[in-house]
Amino acid sequence: MFEKDININDIKEIRTRTTVYFGVGAIKKIDDIAKVLKDKGIDKVIVMSGRNAYKATGAWDYVEKALKDNGIGYINYDQVTPNPTTHHVNDAAKMAREFGAKAVIAIGGGSPTDAGKSVAILLEYPDKTANDIYEFTFTPDKAAPIVSINLTHGTGTETNRFAVVTVPEKDFKPAIAYDCIYPMFAIDDPQLMTKLSPKQTRYVSIDAVNHVIEAATSTVMSPYSVTLAREVIALVHKYLPKAIENPEDLEARYYLAYAAMMGGVCFDNGLLHYTHALEHPLSAVKHELSHGLGLAILLPAVIKTMYKDRAHVLAEILKPINPDLEGNPDEAYQAAKSVQDWLFSVDVTSKLEDEGFTEADVEKLTNLVYTTPSLSGLLDIAPSGNGREVVETIYRESIKPL
């Protein structure tokens, strides 16, 4: 019950590789951030956003005022969509170069920040394109400064070195991980998250849960990732129903945002494997599929597949969902079913068949797992091996409920 001793209006500094301003009202710190940028000689920035949320949440009012007050010119690329593409990144990078931007400010969920990280690389490599980044024709070691103003409680990208962008011509949705794209600053302000739709409230929180389940069970996991995973799952289990019941509940949004931020740090350390490797082809093929929903569809089958190899860890971190788990390998179905029941309890009931996928799609999806740059690397650190039969089994067992 440590939460009772926390003042959610007290802005904390949480240092990972990024300085995160965290708490209700943290958006006001954008003025301090703008002063730092100006002191570093940054007089022009590109602001990456979607079409609506950056204004509807009120974040833009603070950002625009801070930039104007500190004499920083700006240009806004507001065309980022969920599952952003190389086209978005290339268009924004061209705009940024022509304007003379020296830094990137992203306002939104994971999509604007991931696209913004990519633009930040291209500002330092004007002869390269987003396709070069996401088809891995070169390895960047520098990027323009990045500021991430986070509007969702799921991505974790505001605190880590990852970014994901889709190459639509090839149905590729690879992930990159470079030290140069850690944001310099991030803002996690729960009051900016109250406008999330009921569906997105669910999906982004499920994303955070997937981050930590994978990071705590990979072959490079550590006690640190397990400790973070245990806390993240407990917080999401406790506070997601409260946010669903009352979207304006700032305490619920605060702890979901905290869970998501920890999730970003967790998989920055333990990395990801099955669920993300198999989800990326789903939303690459069907761009309208929410990433968090795709993860929710796959998670029970992933738990069932890997439980025998990580029974003790999974039993420990899944205690809030199923306190009866003891860490016996023969609990695999029980553990997977309890996770599915939890997802159903927060009204996330879709399976692959509900999103238009059938048994006939398994081969294509499996092929994409192995041909999309970076995804096979995730499988290489998965706890139950990187074999094709494992991937096919997870897809098949995700077509219908367990």
Side-chain angles (χ1 to χ4, degrees), residues 36 53-54 58 91 99 141 186 207 223-224 269 323 388 397:
V36 172
Y54 75 113
D91 289 348
F99 181 65
D141 60 10
D207 191 6
Y224 184 43
N269 288 273
R388 188 180 178 94
E397 292 190 347

Side-chain angles (χ1 to χ4, degrees), residues 172-338:
F172 285 172
K173 189 180 175 183
I176 60 172
Y178 300 118
D179 283 1
C180 63
I181 55 173
Y182 280 104
M184 177 187 296
F185 294 103
I187 290 174
D188 276 319
D189 187 336
Q191 71 182 358
L192 301 180
M193 303 175 188
T194 60
K195 304 303 182 187
L196 281 171
S197 73
K199 284 185 177 180
Q200 283 305 113
T201 294
R202 293 166 168 85
Y203 297 161
V204 296
S205 298
I206 290 167
D207 191 6
V209 168
N210 275 273
H211 288 156
V212 301
I213 288 176
E214 291 170 82
T217 55
S218 75
T219 60
V220 297
M221 54 79 77
S222 70
Y224 184 43
S225 53
V226 175
T227 298
L228 291 174
R230 183 172 53 204
E231 185 68 8
V232 167
I233 294 171
L235 288 172
V236 173
H237 185 263
K238 180 176 181 178
Y239 286 103
L240 179 56
K242 295 177 184 292
I244 292 169
E245 181 181 359
N246 177 13
E248 300 293 329
D249 185 335
L250 286 177
E251 183 181 55
R253 297 289 185 182
Y254 180 96
Y255 286 107
L256 290 173
Y258 179 53
M261 188 210 71
M262 279 195 293
V265 175
C266 187
F267 83 84
D268 205 22
N269 288 273
L271 305 182
L272 302 171
H273 52 78
Y274 291 131
T275 324
H276 275 75
L278 273 66
E279 192 289 319
H280 284 197
L282 297 179
S283 50
V285 171
K286 292 185 181 294
H287 297 171
E288 69 279 7
L289 178 68
S290 170
H291 173 60
L293 177 57
L295 295 170
I297 288 169
L298 297 167
L299 182 58
V302 170
I303 296 287
K304 182 170 178 284
T305 294
M306 69 177 178
Y307 198 86
K308 67 183 186 302
D309 299 294
R310 290 290 186 272
H312 291 103
V313 168
L314 286 167
E316 175 70 18
I317 67 177
L318 293 175
K319 286 288 185 191
I321 293 173
N322 186 344
D324 296 328
L325 295 175
E326 297 179 353
N328 299 319
D330 60 5
E331 295 172 336
Y333 178 81
Q334 179 187 348
K337 182 64 163 55
S338 64

Side-chain angles (χ1 to χ4, degrees), residues 5-75:
D5 292 332
I6 300 294
N7 178 0
I8 67 171
N9 296 291
D10 185 15
I11 309 306
K12 308 293 184 183
E13 283 193 19
I14 298 174
R15 295 183 182 271
T16 56
R17 286 287 289 271
T18 298
T19 297
V20 182
Y21 292 112
F22 188 95
V24 176
I27 186 60
K28 296 174 184 177
K29 288 290 186 178
I30 188 61
D31 190 60
D32 294 340
I33 293 170
K35 286 181 171 65
V36 172
L37 296 179
K38 192 62 181 288
D39 287 345
K40 290 182 177 293
I42 295 168
D43 58 359
K44 290 184 179 181
V45 301
I46 183 168
V47 178
M48 300 290 291
S49 71
R51 294 183 178 91
N52 179 59
Y54 75 113
K55 288 186 175 179
T57 58
W60 178 241
D61 293 336
Y62 288 95
V63 174
E64 186 176 39
K65 183 177 186 303
L67 295 175
K68 287 181 176 179
D69 287 351
N70 288 279
I72 299 174
Y74 62 87
I75 192 167

Side-chain angles (χ1 to χ4, degrees), residues 121 125 132-133 138-143 176-181:
I121 292 172
Y125 296 90
D132 293 319
I133 298 173
F138 83 114
T139 301
D141 60 10
K142 57 184 177 178
I176 60 172
Y178 300 118
D179 283 1
C180 63
I181 55 173

